[in-house]
Amino acid sequence: MSLDAAPPLVSAAPLPSALPGPLLPGPLISLGDLAWDVLAKPDTLLQAGGDTTGRLELSGGGSAANLAVWARRLGQASTFVGKIGDDTFGELAVADLREEGVTPEVSVSPSHRTGVILALIDQRGQRAMLTGQGADWELLPSELPRALIASARHLHLTAWSLFRDPPRAAALEAARIAHAAGASLSLDPGSFQMIGQIGRGKFLEIVDAVPFDIIFPNADEARAMSGQDTPEAALGWFRRRYPAALVALKMDEHGALIEGPACPRSHVPATDDRLQDATGAGDAFGGAFLAHLLGHGGLEHGDPVLAARCAAQVGGWVVSRFGARPPADADLHARLAPYLEAVPELAAPQPEDEGTGLRASLPGIAP
């Protein structure tokens, strides 16, 4: 990819034949990290100086990009905004988004490589990640597609765009533009370890500047932000500190707690799927949640508990497979059939489509 003749933004409309379902009004814009995941699951415990076998895969990744993909798979028009390097990984990352039907609006950096994330997955399926600070960490306010952001129905941010500056200023400016234009906003706190590294007080000061309507902490992030020992106590803290926000607190095999200004506290159970790889499960939950909520009336008229049940099905399906964006299959279609538009011919994938990342994507959700 050369910058000599290239425009500053790379954009493409979703492939019209890639997805069988109708697009919901939008778009949802997810801004932040786009990278390649290197997934590594050793067959045995790694020993210092030793060698062993295991499973290794490369796949598209980045929390914000993953969420955009999953929202699109469930029928929500989705755009990703971020930054890539002038390299093959960047070209592949953009092509992967296009293949999923997500519209990429990305700046190209001549001096930073596209991000790479190493996900080490243990025998239980839990993952630890090492995130390389690639081009996605270098997004500047001047590179934002401002008119597009102002036209968004919803803007999603992850704290990976807030932990340092850049790209913090760009993320906060995008939030300001979207909020001023009337869009709803959501935030994923990103990483309990990074919250600890920059300090709880500093992180909360940054988060307080984001006018979010929905927040998606997991149990560890909720503990790091709130200082509370239990998810229930942490949820109470979130509701007191951010009384106007809907909180979807993800608790892995214990399900999720949902509470907001118009939503009494509810527990949504997890599925009984066997954990193989937790990579991207929270992003999948967030994408499915937003697609369902936006597709059924948004924050004003949607049902957050029903959206969380839909999202729990997606999250459970993801953790029972490898990677953040496994190709959709008949099992996923069957799980989501109660939440999808009642069109018989779209209720399940066609046999020739099953097992592909492009044409096995899901039909849209009824508005």
Side-chain angles (χ1 to χ4, degrees):
M1 183 185 295
S2 172
L3 286 180
D4 293 339
L9 292 177
V10 177
S11 62
L15 299 176
S17 62
L19 300 166
L23 283 170
L24 297 174
L28 175 153
I29 292 179
S30 189
L31 181 148
D33 47 328
L34 172 62
W36 275 94
D37 286 347
V38 180
L39 305 170
K41 188 173 185 179
D43 292 329
T44 59
L45 186 67
L46 290 173
Q47 299 181 15
D51 301 279
T52 187
T53 57
R55 183 172 181 179
L56 287 165
E57 285 189 14
L58 279 175
S59 67
S63 178
N66 290 339
L67 183 137
V69 166
W70 277 103
R72 179 62 189 93
R73 285 186 176 190
L74 271 76
Q76 172 63 53
S78 299
T79 295
F80 171 81
V81 172
K83 196 167 187 175
I84 60 171
D86 181 19
D87 50 36
T88 300
F89 270 176
E91 292 177 342
L92 292 173
V94 169
D96 197 50
L97 290 180
R98 288 175 178 167
E99 189 172 274
E100 288 281 2
V102 174
T103 302
E105 289 284 347
V106 297
S107 301
V108 180
S109 171
S111 54
H112 296 89
R113 293 184 178 275
T114 300
V116 176
I117 299 171
L118 172 62
L120 289 170
I121 304 154
D122 66 18
Q123 293 303 300
R124 299 169 299 165
Q126 287 295 343
R127 90 291 184 274
M129 291 190 172
L130 178 63
T131 299
Q133 296 183 14
D136 52 330
W137 287 69
E138 304 299 329
L139 185 67
L140 302 174
S142 60
E143 296 170 318
L144 293 174
R146 293 168 178 266
L148 176 66
I149 293 171
S151 72
R153 183 182 183 193
H154 183 89
L155 175 68
H156 177 75
L157 301 175
T158 81
W160 289 105
S161 295
L162 301 176
F163 290 135
R164 59 157 245 200
D165 191 24
R168 185 187 303 143
L172 294 178
E173 177 65 3
R176 185 196 66 77
I177 294 169
H179 181 68
S184 53
L185 275 76
S186 55
L187 175 67
D188 188 313
S191 165
F192 77 91
Q193 188 168 349
M194 290 295 294
I195 294 170
Q197 284 180 220
I198 70 170
R200 175 175 178 259
K202 176 64 175 177
F203 183 70
L204 292 180
E205 179 183 335
I206 296 168
V207 168
D208 288 349
V210 180
F212 60 84
D213 302 285
I214 306 170
I215 189 166
F216 292 108
N218 65 27
D220 290 328
E221 294 154 1
R223 186 180 305 111
M225 290 181 69
S226 70
Q228 303 296 313
D229 292 331
T230 67
E232 292 78 11
L235 181 56
W237 177 90
F238 275 100
R239 292 291 299 122
R240 291 188 297 273
R241 188 174 183 97
Y242 307 109
L246 175 68
V247 183
L249 200 163
K250 302 167 291 185
M251 304 183 296
D252 297 330
E253 71 273 18
H254 301 297
L257 290 173
I258 313 296
E259 187 177 350
C263 177
R265 183 172 298 194
S266 300
H267 175 253
V268 173
T271 64
D272 59 0
D273 292 281
R274 183 176 179 273
L275 176 63
Q276 176 173 319
D277 174 15
T279 304
D283 307 328
F285 181 100
F289 184 97
L290 290 174
H292 192 282
L293 192 69
L294 294 173
H296 291 77
L299 281 165
E300 289 187 3
H301 306 293
D303 184 343
V305 175
L306 190 60
R309 289 174 183 161
C310 174
Q313 289 295 328
V314 172
W317 181 87
V318 168
V319 301
S320 66
R321 286 153 176 82
F322 203 65
R325 310 175 196 168
D329 58 17
D331 178 35
L332 183 59
H333 282 258
R335 291 169 184 244
L336 295 183
Y339 307 99
L340 300 179
E341 189 174 26
V343 180
E345 63 269 26
L346 298 182
Q350 298 301 313
E352 65 270 22
D353 293 342
E354 196 166 326
T356 69
L358 179 61
R359 293 185 175 83
S361 298
L362 296 167
I365 314 170

